[in-house]
Amino acid sequence: MKAFTYERAETITRAAAAAVKPGTKFIAGGTNLLDLMKLQVETPSQLVDINRLPLDKIEDTSDGGLRIGATVRNSDLAADPRVRRRYGVLSRALLSGASAQLRNKATTGGNLLQRTRCYYFYDVTKPCNKREPGSGCAALGGFNRIHAVLGTSELCIATHPSDMAVAMRALDANVETLDAEGKARSIPIADFHRFPARTPQIETMLKPGEIVTAVTLPPPPPGTQIYRKVRDRASYAFALVSVAAIVDAAGGRIRSARLAFGGLASKPWRVAQAEERLAGASADAEAFDGAANAVLDGARGYGHNDFKVPLARRTLRAVLTEATRA
Amino acid sequence: MDMNAPIGQNALDDPKSIVGKPLDRIDGRLKVTGAARYAYEFAQETTTTYGYVVEAAIGKGRIRSIDTRAAERSPGVVLILTHRNTPGQGTGSHHEAHPVLTDANVNYYGQPAAFVVAETFEQARAAAYLVRVDYERVAGKYALESNLKYAGSPPAQEGQPHPDSAVGDFTGAFASAPVQLDVTYTTPLQSHAMMEPHASMAVWEGDKLTLHTANQMLSQGQEAVARTLKMPVENVRLISPFIGGGFGGKLWVNADAILAAIAARQLNRPVKTALTRQQIFHVTTHRSDTVQRIRLGTDRDGRIVAIGHDVFSGNLPSEQSFETAAMQTRTLYVGANRLTRHRLVPLDIPIASSMRAPGEAVGMLALECAMDELAAKLNLDPIDLRIRNEPTEDPEKHIPYSSRHLIACLQEGAKRFGWDKRNPKPGQVADGRWLVGMGVAAASRGNPLRTSKANVRLDPDGILTAKMAMTDIGTGTYTIMTQIAAEMLGLPPDRIRMELGDTRFPEAAGSGGSFGAASAGSALFDACETLRAKLAGAAGMDPKAARFADGNIEAGGRSKRLTDLVGNAGMEADGEIGPGTTLKDFSQQSYGAHFAEVAVDMDTGEIRLRRMLGVFTAGRILNEKTARSQAIGGMVFGIGAALEEGLNLDPRFGHFVNHDLAEYHVPVHADVPVIDAVFLPELDTKSNPLKSKGIGELGISGAGAALANAIYNACGARVRDYPITLDKVLTVLPVQA
Ligand SMILES: Cc1cc2nc3c(=O)[nH]c(=O)nc-3n(C[C@H](O)[C@H](O)[C@H](O)COP(=O)(O)OP(=O)(O)OC[C@H]3O[C@@H](n4cnc5c(N)ncnc54)[C@H](O)[C@@H]3O)c2cc1C
Ligand code: SF4
């Protein structure tokens, strides 16, 4: 770990203002950032601690949704009765992530902004375009079992590892921020994370100093909510494939469906065509396969992760079957 | 005493003996309250400095230049060791302690390239990242499977099993066997992943070195350190009262200890160091991956006529230890024609060495699945197949077994587990979206005995102090030793002071290879016998007739308080055990049977254990509770071996890609449902005076194979490439409805 200065922000505006200084990082739960600092993958010269900011509330919004403060702990969010009742997909996604101890520390903002688990990204002696632009991608020709099959670029094939963000993507959440000048904005979660493209080191739409203040959820859409996470052990493992589904169906017919995927892509993944194909369709194998085709259109494995394509197909099929069961 | 003859009736045979009782761990409280001190927790004086290892970042080549200037200027740095300023050391195999920073050559990824010492750990770590090493890479051989053509015979070593064995005409008998099975299994590179990292603190006083270090075999380690640092053995002291797991990874003295010792001498200040979790994977040892070909030829009734097991494993060209995966194949089943061969492939990856039942743990993953395949081929129940192939004597050495109750374990286990409910046809049983299956495998593990010594002293205050350079690596050694001493002298356990973990105490076997309890326990037994005789002498009683109970010695209607016999100075006795002819005259193994019920998700291929049972016989059980815990721990290792564990090698760099515990998977709580371990009564009089046999590694032996066989029974996938992850069964899953 490199030496750094530490500042505890007293107000949100001051936090954002302090963070424009190059080399500054916000620290929330620290469960990702500290690990990266120990390995010198991240080498901030200043940490701004946001844990004491008044961002730890979950509030009802006037339109019947929820506003989740950026420092609400993952375990508190998962246990909130409103979340459990109306946003079961989010509660389940959260509880499927990490371990109880980590969830007690991890925050909403930190979870959204956690970095990839690509092995080579964590190892500063290896080439990695995300860590060191232009150095190459060790995963491309290397061991890439946990890597993405969608939304990749020739420079980076890493996944976004969050479970929470996948559920939020299905829920059409908005990420609220405040920038260094004190200006607030709301970014749809679909746009919040960026494709790696030519700049895998730039992962979100945030500008320097811009702080995530909250995530808002619109009122829950109708239908059954499911979060299905497929992983290598029963707990405490990142998703190989995960599906967040909200499906409104009755009498063998699907009215509407929302499907978001984790473990598959460079960012929480959602494909409009897949959902359009399902809307109004009868709940049968043909419709499910059609949706899978749309989701996996353009999917490409890199060797060790080839299995993710059939696995995603099978998992989606299982989830849709369950969601539409009378 | 040496084990040259079977043991008769002795004090431990008393049915009321405390030996065997499920006594709680006497160090449990210390551990859960944080009062037990581990190597890294020893007294920090203001003078203590902290070291951090810089690992070589290439697999093979040499250090062209190493620039430490920026690191030296970094805050707090007091010393940087590189090959340029590190004194020469004695060389030898890993049974010694590997010399460090000897020259510019890089022999494996992660080999220490420098050691940065600073006033704080974080300063040392920060400075370590400033050390610039310029490497000259050369092509290396990294992956086992792509380098099998370089395999050679490892040299036979004194006191070690020979790499090859042959009986009869295997090739001819196999070729003409009416039923043949010829299968190749592979097991991956594995890492010990114990909880406590390798850590050491070195303190010099003049020319005397004290090393607080996490080490399983202190007496051996003491000698190793002395040889490597070229100093007299008596000037080296190793202290290791508590160890947070070792699993073989702390059998030898690792780089942390030698680096700390060298740096501390140069600085004339104590040096503490702990490897980070990530570093442990490369800097210390691991288990080699294996390629294992098993050939079984039987007659039409399933009686084995030819049994062959070829094993390939890898290690550094300078190392000779190989994965002894075929050892149980030599003794487990009948067969007049036998062949086992171990071949070693020289590889330029970190040092391969002992890990959790070296040999058996991976050998039985292959052998016991091959037996299951054979049973399927013959249309026999797998237990029936094993009964048909139960030998009456060791089939290779033609000597009797010291004790063997494998069939009893299989049958008792079958009854308790409900084996009769298993559908022999794979893929038939569903529970919702899960395919459910059952599997069985035999457990078998050699029963070694090693030289070990002990000293006991009974003081006038009624406290018996026992001293041994033995270790407790978390298995319960303090507790079982206390029970042995308490029973022998007729004292309550709270009157026993058990002092372990210091080379100032009599030389002991240490913890490893399932020999710890038997060896150290027998030495203690022997010391207690001598003390009993002395006490009887002092009481004027016949030692043979004397009974020890409640702090008294009794014989012939007379009773005396022990404290009245020991005088003001207390009374002492020494004890010793050594292996003898019974190890050659009798084939000695512990046995057991594993049963597993596994469910495979028919959509995703996710594999989850549902329940598991192990039934074992291992001679006298010294503590029901710690024995059961140990067996269950081994079974959990088996779950990991079957389903999860594996280091992924990147053959471009020669490194292990998943070198942290987020991506190197071991079982977590949710992977471990109700599992139980049961020990059937047995006494082994040929084994040692305790009549116990090794249980340390019995629980893992064969455990993973029971899961693999259950997976086959559940879904019909016979995966011969461990670990069995979901991607390997996906292709055989049924078409989704
Ligand atoms: C072993 C392990 C297993 C895990 N398994 C899973 C899993 O299965 N599924 C899963 O989803 N996650 C998993 N995680 C990841 C975990 O969820 C994240 O580490 C956690 O959510 C990060 O939250 P934090 O508050 O600790 O973030 P921090 O580490 O404090 O911060 C992470 C990043 O976010 C930035 N940041 C934090 N808050 C803000 C804010 N308000 N505004 C702007 N920037 C901000 C920080 O600067 C930093 O760059 C695992 C982690 C570990 C270590
Ligand atoms: S996949 Fe991305 S994060 Fe991983 S090595 Fe390549 S560039 Fe780096």
Side-chain angles (χ1 to χ4, degrees):
Chain A
M1 200 179 280
K2 267 197 178 161
F4 55 88
T5 58
Y6 170 88
E7 185 178 322
R8 181 179 290 145
E10 303 298 338
T11 66
I12 303 169
T13 355
R14 282 246 282 286
V20 255
K21 202 171 116 201
T24 301
K25 279 263 164 194
F26 296 116
I27 181 161
T31 60
N32 190 212
L33 183 59
L34 286 176
D35 279 355
L36 292 166
M37 287 170 65
K38 289 178 193 169
L39 298 168
Q40 295 210 3
V41 176
E42 301 251 27
T43 51
S45 51
Q46 170 170 261
L47 286 188
V48 174
D49 184 339
I50 61 169
N51 284 291
R52 303 260 176 109
L53 297 181
L55 297 174
D56 59 347
K57 307 263 172 340
I58 307 171
E59 299 153 320
D60 292 306
T61 57
S62 53
D63 67 350
L66 277 186
R67 186 170 189 280
I68 303 157
T71 60
V72 170
R73 306 290 147 177
N74 285 179
S75 37
D76 292 336
L77 183 57
D80 186 275
R82 292 161 293 184
V83 174
R84 292 179 51 156
R85 208 165 38 241
R86 285 151 50 200
Y87 302 97
V89 65
L90 176 59
S91 185
R92 294 219 186 97
L94 284 160
L95 291 175
S96 75
S99 65
Q101 295 92 328
L102 284 160
R103 293 193 297 269
N104 286 342
K105 287 298 283 182
T107 62
T108 311
N111 193 321
L112 270 183
L113 287 155
Q114 66 173 294
R115 308 202 66 189
T116 183
R117 305 307 293 197
C118 169
Y119 329 97
Y120 301 97
F121 174 73
Y122 278 79
D123 184 344
V124 292
T125 65
K126 301 293 172 295
C128 169
N129 289 323
K130 188 186 274 300
R131 181 170 24 78
E132 207 183 316
S135 63
C137 169
L140 262 176
F143 187 76
N144 47 38
R145 185 166 184 274
I146 61 173
H147 286 73
V149 295
L150 285 163
T152 58
S153 76
E154 65 275 29
L155 296 189
C156 178
I157 59 169
T159 58
H160 189 274
S162 170
D163 290 297
M164 180 195 83
V166 175
M168 287 180 171
R169 180 90 208 257
L171 290 165
D172 277 335
N174 286 292
V175 183
E176 295 189 10
T177 69
L178 197 76
D179 70 12
E181 279 94 55
K183 240 175 64 225
R185 62 171 173 156
S186 175
I187 309 167
I189 192 159
D191 304 329
F192 183 75
H193 295 103
R194 297 177 32 142
F195 290 101
R198 309 294 312 159
T199 52
Q201 73 277 17
I202 305 173
E203 293 169 351
T204 67
M205 299 298 282
L206 292 182
K207 295 173 295 183
E210 191 168 4
I211 183 172
V212 172
T213 51
V215 171
T216 52
L217 302 179
T224 304
Q225 299 187 14
I226 291 177
Y227 191 75
R228 177 79 150 95
K229 177 173 177 177
V230 181
R231 48 187 148 173
D232 276 326
R233 59 183 171 191
S235 171
Y236 201 32
F238 289 92
L240 295 169
V241 169
S242 71
V243 182
I246 306 170
V247 181
D248 186 18
R253 196 149 282 281
I254 300 169
R255 277 196 285 266
S256 68
R258 296 190 189 186
L259 304 170
F261 297 83
L264 279 184
S266 50
K267 55 186 263 181
W269 201 249
R270 218 173 136 182
V271 177
Q273 293 90 309
E275 297 174 11
E276 284 158 16
R277 281 196 196 181
L278 288 173
S282 70
D284 57 25
E286 199 188 320
F288 300 164
D289 271 347
N293 289 341
V295 171
L296 294 167
D297 185 30
R300 128 150 221 232
Y302 295 87
H304 305 97
N305 67 349
D306 291 348
F307 72 94
K308 284 190 174 183
V309 178
L311 180 63
R313 182 177 289 280
R314 294 185 72 98
T315 308
L316 176 59
R317 175 83 166 260
V319 165
L320 288 174
T321 306
E322 187 188 335
T324 55
R325 203 176 305 148
Chain B
M1 67 177 287
D2 287 345
M3 266 309 289
N4 290 326
I7 303 292
Q9 186 85 9
N10 67 26
L12 304 184
D13 294 326
D14 180 346
K16 292 202 299 288
S17 172
I18 185 175
V19 171
K21 296 286 178 306
L23 198 72
D24 287 345
R25 278 163 203 267
I26 60 169
D27 51 341
R29 194 182 176 81
L30 286 180
K31 285 187 172 168
V32 297
T33 56
R37 275 204 286 172
Y38 293 82
Y40 201 72
E41 299 173 327
F42 273 86
Q44 274 144 281
E45 291 143 43
T46 48
T47 53
T48 303
T49 57
Y50 296 82
Y52 190 88
V53 175
V54 178
E55 298 166 83
I58 62 163
K60 190 167 174 60
R62 49 191 300 284
I63 296 172
R64 204 181 284 131
S65 67
I66 181 161
D67 181 354
T68 57
R69 283 169 302 178
E72 273 156 22
R73 284 195 303 271
S74 188
V77 172
V78 292
L79 175 71
I80 300 179
L81 290 177
T82 67
H83 65 277
R84 293 184 310 223
N85 61 351
T86 298
Q89 298 142 65
T91 53
S93 76
H94 67 220
H95 288 268
E96 327 223 325
H98 278 288
V100 291
L101 305 174
T102 50
D103 53 34
N105 291 329
V106 174
N107 301 318
Y108 59 88
Y109 192 99
Q111 177 186 323
F115 187 61
V116 179
V117 188
E119 299 290 346
T120 71
F121 176 80
E122 283 306 338
Q123 287 174 333
R125 169 148 67 178
Y129 278 84
L130 296 172
V131 174
R132 290 279 156 265
V133 190
D134 180 25
Y135 298 102
E136 184 185 316
R137 276 186 196 230
V138 302
K141 295 199 271 297
Y142 302 123
L144 178 70
E145 282 187 69
S146 47
N147 288 291
L148 292 181
K149 58 178 176 290
Y150 299 106
S153 287
Q157 296 205 52
E158 179 72 29
Q160 299 291 322
H162 197 283
D164 289 5
S165 75
V167 175
D169 167 24
F170 169 78
T171 315
F174 181 72
S176 59
V179 180
Q180 297 169 353
L181 183 84
D182 182 350
V183 285
T184 298
Y185 279 81
T186 57
T187 66
L189 293 149
Q190 294 177 335
S191 185
H192 306 82
M194 75 298 284
M195 213 189 293
E196 180 202 18
H198 296 71
S200 293
M201 173 169 173
V203 186
W204 288 86
E205 275 167 86
D207 55 3
K208 292 196 166 49
L209 168 67
T210 301
L211 263 177
H212 298 275
T213 184
N215 186 283
Q216 298 174 228
M217 290 170 66
L218 294 181
S219 302
Q220 171 182 285
Q222 178 189 26
E223 237 173 81
V225 170
R227 222 172 289 178
T228 300
L229 297 181
K230 298 185 180 167
M231 55 191 287
V233 176
E234 59 275 15
N235 285 357
V236 177
R237 180 178 177 197
L238 265 58
I239 300 178
S240 203
F242 295 102
I243 300 167
F247 310 152
K250 294 171 183 164
L251 284 176
W252 326 118
V253 175
N254 283 287
D256 54 301
I258 299 300
L259 288 165
I262 293 173
R265 182 184 260 178
Q266 293 208 2
L267 285 168
N268 204 17
R269 293 173 66 178
V271 174
K272 236 184 196 194
T273 190
L275 297 179
T276 65
R277 179 59 67 186
Q278 287 86 351
Q279 289 177 332
I280 290 171
F281 290 85
H282 293 115
V283 177
T284 75
T285 60
H286 66 276
R287 191 207 303 274
S288 172
D289 41 356
T290 65
V291 175
Q292 303 180 48
R293 182 183 185 194
I294 303 232
R295 281 173 291 175
L296 300 171
T298 71
D299 64 18
R300 298 241 171 260
D301 296 330
R303 294 244 338 153
I304 297 172
V305 293
I307 180 165
H309 194 165
D310 288 293
V311 183
F312 294 86
S313 63
N315 213 337
L316 275 179
S318 55
E319 297 291 317
Q320 291 164 353
S321 97
F322 55 95
E323 191 65 32
T324 52
M327 290 307 156
Q328 293 312 310
T329 310
R330 293 180 182 175
T331 176
L332 195 50
Y333 300 115
V334 297
N337 304 285
R338 321 178 68 86
L339 180 69
T340 70
R341 291 180 293 206
H342 294 89
R343 294 293 172 263
L344 190 56
V345 179
L347 296 175
D348 304 304
I349 60 172
I351 304 164
S353 187
S354 305
M355 173 176 147
R356 312 183 198 148
E360 280 88 345
V362 292
M364 297 190 74
L365 286 176
L367 177 64
E368 287 303 288
C369 282
M371 285 297 280
D372 205 66
E373 293 200 57
L374 183 63
K377 208 169 186 162
L378 287 157
N379 228 343
L380 286 177
D381 183 277
I383 293 176
D384 184 20
L385 176 68
R386 287 174 175 87
I387 293 172
R388 288 175 193 221
N389 288 291
E390 173 71 2
T392 50
E393 59 165 21
D394 187 291
E396 193 182 288
K397 297 186 196 148
H398 299 295
I399 53 174
Y401 292 103
S402 62
S403 57
R404 173 170 166 132
H405 295 101
L406 171 60
I407 302 303
C409 292
L410 285 162
Q411 289 174 334
E412 177 66 21
K415 204 163 69 199
R416 289 176 186 239
F417 200 68
W419 182 253
D420 56 345
K421 297 195 184 65
R422 170 181 177 266
N423 186 328
K425 196 161 166 229
Q428 302 303 303
V429 182
D431 176 8
R433 297 298 296 164
W434 295 95
L435 293 165
V436 184
M438 289 190 210
V440 67
S444 166
R445 165 75 194 167
N447 176 47
L449 184 68
R450 290 221 178 180
T451 301
S452 208
K453 296 179 185 167
N455 170 272
V456 290
R457 195 186 67 241
L458 184 61
D459 279 310
D461 60 2
I463 300 285
L464 181 96
T465 306
K467 290 181 174 169
M468 294 179 266
M470 181 57 191
T471 50
D472 186 333
I473 60 172
T475 49
T477 312
Y478 278 107
T479 312
I480 56 169
M481 295 300 151
T482 298
Q483 287 171 276
I484 292 168
E487 181 58 30
M488 291 300 287
L489 275 306
L491 295 168
D494 64 1
R495 304 274 88 189
I496 309 294
R497 189 187 299 140
M498 194 53 57
E499 297 197 8
L500 309 179
D502 191 331
T503 52
R504 288 218 170 143
F505 305 150
E507 187 180 330
S511 307
S514 300
F515 53 66
S519 306
S522 296
L524 177 64
F525 174 94
D526 191 49
C528 290
E529 280 274 83
T530 307
L531 185 62
R532 281 163 62 115
K534 280 192 179 176
L535 286 163
M541 296 177 186
D542 173 9
K544 295 227 162 50
R547 283 197 58 248
F548 290 75
D550 308 321
N552 297 324
I553 179 171
E554 300 162 22
R558 285 197 305 135
S559 172
K560 286 212 157 152
R561 294 224 44 86
L562 296 180
T563 44
D564 294 336
L565 299 171
V566 299
N568 286 339
M571 193 181 274
E572 274 196 64
D574 293 322
E576 182 172 358
I577 187 76
T581 52
T582 60
L583 262 184
K584 297 190 185 69
D585 296 342
F586 298 92
S587 178
Q588 299 193 20
Q589 281 81 223
S590 303
Y591 292 97
H594 292 283
F595 292 82
E597 184 177 289
V598 158
V600 180
D601 187 300
M602 58 178 96
D603 294 309
T604 63
E606 286 164 291
I607 302 163
R608 303 287 181 253
L609 179 68
R610 290 198 158 182
R611 58 194 183 99
M612 192 171 182
L613 169 70
V615 178
F616 306 101
T617 48
R620 188 194 306 281
I621 298 308
L622 302 173
N623 178 319
E624 237 175 66
K625 193 175 191 172
T626 55
R628 182 173 176 276
S629 297
Q630 183 72 9
I632 284 178
M635 292 160 72
V636 172
F637 283 160
I639 301 171
L643 305 180
E644 297 170 12
E645 281 192 66
L647 287 167
N648 305 115
L649 177 96
D650 188 326
R652 299 168 305 169
F653 303 102
H655 84 302
F656 306 138
V657 176
N658 51 340
H659 54 278
D660 64 30
L661 289 183
E663 296 301 334
Y664 182 82
H665 285 178
V666 296
V668 295
H669 284 297
D671 293 316
V672 185
V674 178
I675 63 180
D676 199 7
V678 175
F679 287 89
L680 304 182
E682 184 183 66
L683 292 178
D684 191 320
T685 56
K686 329 295 189 316
S687 170
N688 63 61
L690 312 176
K691 305 177 187 173
S692 67
K693 289 194 288 190
I695 61 166
E697 295 157 310
L698 181 60
I700 187 176
S701 302
L707 274 85
N709 294 337
I711 292 168
Y712 171 74
N713 183 241
C715 70
R718 181 61 78 180
V719 180
R720 300 193 185 93
D721 175 35
Y722 289 98
I724 308 175
T725 46
L726 61 89
D727 44 312
K728 298 177 188 171
V729 301
L730 262 189
T731 48
V732 307
L733 293 178
V735 175
Q736 287 169 300

